[in-house]
Every structure is written in structure tokens, then in C-alpha cells.
Amino acid sequence: MVINKKVNNFGSCLLMKSGAASVTATTTMRNYHTTNSNKKVVPFLLADIGEGITKVEVVKWFIKEGDHIEQFQNVAEVMSDKANVEISSRFDGVVKRLCYNVGDIANVGAPLIEIEVADSTASPSSAGAATSSSSTVEVAKTTSTPSCAASSDIAEESFGKILTTPAVRRIARENNLDLTKVPATGRNGRVLKEDVLSYLENPTKQQSEKVAVPEQTSTATTTTSTPSTPTVGDRREPVRGLMRTMIRTMNAATKVPHFGYKDEVYVDNLMIIRSHLKKTAERQGVKLSYMPFIIKAVSLALKEYPILNSSLTEDESEIIYKGDHNIGVAMDTPNGLLVPNIKSVQNKSILEIAAELNRLQELGKQGKLGANDLKGGTFTLSNIGTIGGTYADPVLSIPEVCIGAIGMIKKTATFDAHNNVVPKHIMYMSWAADHRVVDGATMARFSNLWKEYLENPDNFIVALK
Ligand code: COA
């Protein structure tokens, strides 16, 4: 599954929340055409997958043309900006056509595949029955028979920077051609098949014509490249999937005034206690890193400073103090950055937190984090120190009011009271808070208390119930 990301290293922390789900896609078929007396080819429409999603990217086909497929068999995995979804068939039949290539954008409600089904299966009445029995998705309806070609057209009309059809994209791909270089002659700048063929025939001529346009028409003083006139070697890609979510959430976050606070934590004692407990945890099948201690210390400090576990209502008239400490953990997964959260940390032991973190990490690796794990966070931590870095400027995960970024633990020379050099392990911590509701003094007091637990882990014993 998906969720991806990326992070401009340590300068800012881009947080995404997403979910994975499996749904059964159903389709209502009308006006299909007949291939022989008892078989009909019908479009299998991409069903509504909820949450207002209108477009998805085709990530993977589980079938190919000519395959015989059965009810409930997965046909495709698609990715929206919120989730990866497996689409399964409700009908037995033979796949006549896949309407998209992997990587194409598919429109909800448009045909995903064309499938040959038994006449009786394809009847509107049986499709209607399938619809009503589906508990997970709403059925896409159509009164005419959109074909693969139509769906391609719809999808490409409205998505991505390069307006063209999958068929044209396929030709470009097959010829290793960057479509941004092809002068478009179609309506609204659409790249037509003829454009591509003529470019392939004479790329030099086409390129010089394309680059020459701004010089002839522009009165601007500069002739340097603009987004609409890419230079040779530039590459354009439509923004897709999680990156769209990242753009939306980060734009929202930057409207909130952030307050930053950074400190250093001596973690030698924590390292000792972790190494002892690691073996105990291992015997219980749990991998114990520093995070469970850091997370628990956050929860203990939140008890004293609940404002940091709150959110401000959209109209800024009320503060909601959250009852649970659902601590989000930014996770670098193969599909990108995800932020699942550990629920009710205030009621969990360090080992329970570790077990839950292990579970979330495993799901993240497999691309199977579910909506429940990704929703409901009240506070976020980002341990970028597993990758590198010292300090960060984390960006809030709205509507939360606080986030912490952990830098890499480093052995550092310090001075003791007699000016002797003493090596110590330091963990660098960078907090950011919503300055509309959190002031600097509160942030600093919270951080001091959190740090106290980590520098003197014996305190956990006293604090825990
Ligand atoms: N400094 C040094 N070592 C660290 C460390 C740090 N800050 N944090 C963790 N480590 C160590 C761990 O102790 C572990 O060592 P071990 O094998 O001896 O136990 C090792 O690095 C790997 O830890 P990991 O398996 O990643 O577990 P974790 O609980 O520390 O971290 C995640 C879990 C999910 C936070 C982490 O895997 C991750 O994805 N980090 C990246 C977050 C990110 O991308 N943030 C950017 C957001 S914009």
C-alpha cells in the first residue's frame, strides 16, 4: 500500500495521515453489448470508495486480459490520497480489457475493466441485487455504457499537469519519451496522439519550435525557463497519492503560528535501563527501543500540562482538552511517511507501548495500517534520529497543538563540576507548539518534566500506577 512522502530532511517534518482499507467493488451494468447468445461484455465501474474520493491511481493489477475471474477475487489495488484500496469483483467472467495502465489515474464511476459475463449475471436485476448486498461501498451507477476509452478520457481530462490519454501515455512510455517535451495542439493544451507521433518523427524540429514560443510571444525581460516551458532534462510528474495529502495538510499547518523550543537530554541512564529491559521484552516477543520510554514520558508530562494534549476549535472559540493520550508516531514506511497513533498511552505500560509500536511498525512495513490506527491522534512524536540529524523544525499535525522531533543520540564531551571532560550521550529534542494556545513557559516546563523522566528513568517506577 502507499502512503508516501517525503521529508525535506531535517528542516521540516511533513506529517501525513492515511489509511488502508479493503472494499468490495460492485457495479451496476446497463446497456451492455452481447458477444454471443449468452455472454455479454459489460463495464465494471470503479465504485465509490467513500470520503469524497473522486480519483485514484492504479497501483497494481491482480489480473490480466483474458483471465477468468471469480466473485470476490481482487482485481486491482488503487491508491487515493487517503488510502490504498483493493477492488474485488462481484462477478464471475472473463477480463476483456483493462482500462488503465499501472500509474494511470482512474475516475470513480468510470469503467475500470471490461468483463465478459454470463447473460444472466449481467442482467440489471442481478446487478441491483449485488448492490444492495454490498455493505462496504456504494455502487457506481450509470445510465449509459461508458467504455474503457471513455474512462481514460475522463480521467486524463481533469488530472495531472499533462493533459492526455493513457493511450498516448503508453506510446510515450514505450518510446521512453518525456511528454512535457511534446508540443501540445489539443484543446486546453492536451497532448494528442498526432503530437506524440510527429514529435517522435522529428524531435529536434518540435523541440526548437516549442522552446521558441516564449521568445516570440513574451514581452518579459527574461527568457529563462518557466513551468510551462521546461528546459531539456526537466521532468514533470503529476502530484499523486500521499503527496497530495501532504500538500493539503502542510498548507493548513503553516497557517498556525508555530512556537519552537529545543533542548538536550542526557540519556546514559536510559540507555542502561533499556539494555536491561530489552532482554526481558525480547522474551515476550517485544522489541524495545527508546521510543516507548519517550512516549510514556510524554504521557506522564501531559498529565501535568494537558493544554499540550488539546486542540483549538476551528472558530477559535474553544479549547478541547483530549481525554486520551493518543500519541502519534511519524513512521518512515516503504510507502512513505505515515503517522499511526498509540491509543490511550496514559493507561499503558512501557512494554505495552512497545508491543503496540511493534504492531504498528509491522503493519506500516506491509502497507496495511488501517484507518483506526491512523485516526484520532492527539500529540505527535517524530524520531528522525533513527535516520540522522540533530535538531528539526517539526510542523504541527493539525488540529494537534504540539509535536516533538527527536534527533540522533550522540556521544558528546561534557564538563563535570570539577571541569573534567565527561563523555555523555545526548538526545536532541525539538518541540513545536501552536502559539495561539501554548506559551513558551508552558512548553519549557512540559519539556523539563518530560526530560526529567528520561534522564532519571527510576522516576517512571514512582509515577506508574
Ligand atoms: N538515536 C540513535 N539511535 C536510535 C534513535 C535515536 N534517536 N532512535 C532509535 N534508535 C535506535 C533504536 O534503539 C534501534 O536500535 P536497536 O536495534 O539497538 O534497538 C534502532 O535505532 C532502530 O530503531 P527503530 O526500529 O526504528 O525503532 P524506534 O522505535 O526507535 O523508531 C520509528 C520507530 C517508527 C519512529 C522509526 O522507525 C521511524 O520510522 N523513524 C523515522 C520517522 C520520520 O521519518 N520522521 C520524519 C517525519 S517528517
Side-chain angles (χ1 to χ4, degrees):
M1 128 153 201
V2 308
I3 310 249
N4 17 23
K5 28 277 184 169
K6 275 314 188 180
V7 177
N8 51 357
N9 197 14
F10 212 46
S12 82
C13 183
L14 306 176
L15 298 177
M16 318 222 5
K17 298 185 173 190
S18 184
S22 280
V23 298
T24 299
T26 61
T27 180
T28 297
M29 294 165 284
R30 309 264 163 84
N31 303 336
Y32 36 76
H33 62 273
T34 308
T35 53
N36 62 40
S37 56
N38 37 8
K39 296 265 167 72
K40 288 172 193 284
V41 175
V42 297
F44 181 103
L45 306 186
L46 177 59
D48 183 354
I49 56 179
E51 301 199 52
I53 293 163
T54 57
K55 293 178 207 312
V56 295
E57 180 178 335
V58 178
V59 176
K60 193 191 285 179
W61 285 111
F62 299 116
I63 53 168
K64 59 184 183 317
E65 288 170 2
D67 280 0
H68 185 276
I69 58 171
E70 293 173 358
Q71 284 186 60
F72 309 118
Q73 182 177 337
N74 282 346
V75 296
E77 180 180 337
V78 299
M79 173 175 68
S80 74
D81 58 356
K82 298 199 171 82
N84 265 33
V85 176
E86 286 179 356
I87 305 292
S88 59
S89 175
R90 265 195 85 80
F91 299 100
D92 297 338
V94 175
V95 179
K96 299 308 277 185
R97 204 162 161 203
L98 306 180
C99 297
Y100 301 96
N101 291 319
V102 167
D104 286 344
I105 300 300
N107 263 18
V108 167
L112 185 66
I113 59 178
E114 287 177 5
I115 180 169
E116 186 181 66
V117 296
D119 200 354
S120 55
T121 314
S123 72
S125 61
S126 72
T131 300
S132 57
S133 69
S134 170
S135 59
T136 50
V137 295
E138 200 178 304
V139 167
K141 292 193 171 77
T142 180
T143 51
S144 63
T145 309
S147 64
C148 274
S151 79
S152 303
D153 205 44
I154 296 163
E156 297 302 320
E157 277 279 356
S158 50
F159 188 86
K161 301 260 184 216
I162 303 290
L163 291 178
T164 191
T165 62
V168 171
R169 283 190 198 284
R170 192 179 306 129
I171 298 172
R173 245 195 311 271
E174 283 166 6
N175 289 281
N176 209 13
L177 170 63
D178 177 359
L179 278 173
T180 59
K181 293 181 182 158
V182 179
T185 62
R187 186 168 50 91
N188 298 329
R190 165 184 286 246
V191 178
L192 306 177
K193 188 175 167 192
E194 304 83 86
D195 298 334
V196 170
L197 295 179
S198 116
Y199 182 91
L200 287 170
E201 223 172 84
N202 193 347
T204 326
K205 175 172 168 272
Q206 299 284 329
Q207 185 62 30
S208 63
E209 277 173 7
K210 184 164 185 170
V211 172
V213 170
E215 291 178 2
Q216 292 162 359
T217 56
S218 170
T219 54
T221 51
T222 175
T223 55
T224 54
S225 66
T226 67
S228 56
T229 58
T231 55
V232 176
D234 286 359
R235 193 166 62 88
R236 285 194 191 197
E237 270 182 12
V239 171
R240 287 182 174 165
L242 290 175
M243 194 178 282
R244 275 191 281 161
T245 307
M246 190 151 70
I247 290 170
R248 196 177 60 241
T249 55
M250 288 301 106
N251 280 340
T254 51
K255 293 200 176 92
V256 171
H258 284 54
F259 166 83
Y261 180 85
K262 297 174 171 65
D263 205 356
E264 298 174 352
V265 187
Y266 295 121
V267 290
D268 292 278
N269 292 338
L270 178 64
M271 291 170 80
I272 293 166
I273 202 161
R274 200 238 358 176
S275 71
H276 290 161
L277 294 176
K278 209 176 162 193
K279 292 188 189 82
T280 313
E282 265 164 20
R283 282 197 289 275
Q284 298 183 33
V286 177
K287 182 176 173 292
L288 184 65
S289 64
Y290 300 110
M291 280 305 274
F293 297 91
I294 296 168
I295 293 167
K296 190 66 193 180
V298 160
S299 175
L300 292 169
L302 285 177
K303 278 189 186 162
E304 304 294 319
Y305 299 97
I307 184 77
L308 289 162
N309 195 51
S310 72
S311 65
L312 184 63
T313 55
E314 223 166 302
D315 64 4
E316 301 179 345
S317 65
E318 280 181 302
I319 294 169
I320 304 166
Y321 289 86
K322 301 294 173 69
D324 271 323
H325 299 168
N326 296 341
I327 311 296
V329 178
M331 209 166 266
D332 182 36
T333 77
N335 294 310
L337 177 65
L338 285 176
V339 191
N341 61 80
I342 300 174
K343 304 276 189 291
S344 306
V345 168
Q346 77 278 11
N347 299 327
K348 287 189 164 67
S349 70
I350 287 171
L351 217 54
E352 285 169 336
I353 295 168
E356 181 64 355
L357 183 59
N358 289 179
R359 183 185 74 83
L360 295 173
Q361 270 182 287
E362 197 46 45
L363 289 176
K365 262 188 223 152
Q366 296 169 12
K368 288 187 175 161
L369 280 166
N372 191 46
D373 290 327
L374 292 155
K375 282 183 186 164
T378 60
F379 187 106
T380 296
L381 285 171
S382 172
N383 185 3
I384 192 77
T386 56
I387 302 169
T390 306
Y391 291 109
D393 289 312
V395 178
L396 287 170
S397 183
I398 300 299
E400 296 170 18
V401 300
C402 190
I403 178 171
I406 301 144
M408 185 175 259
I409 296 170
K410 289 175 184 164
K411 194 174 181 179
T412 315
T414 64
F415 293 101
D416 68 10
H418 308 290
N419 276 346
N420 298 311
V421 175
V422 182
K424 284 191 180 174
H425 286 90
I426 294 182
M427 187 178 80
Y428 302 88
M429 191 64 194
S430 304
W431 300 107
D434 182 341
H435 210 347
R436 296 171 304 173
V437 292
V438 180
D439 58 46
T442 306
M443 184 75 250
R445 289 190 186 104
F446 166 86
S447 179
N448 286 345
L449 181 55
W450 168 82
K451 181 173 147 164
E452 180 90 14
Y453 282 112
L454 295 178
E455 291 190 342
N456 307 289
D458 293 354
N459 287 349
F460 279 116
I461 299 164
V462 180
L464 297 181
K465 287 179 189 164

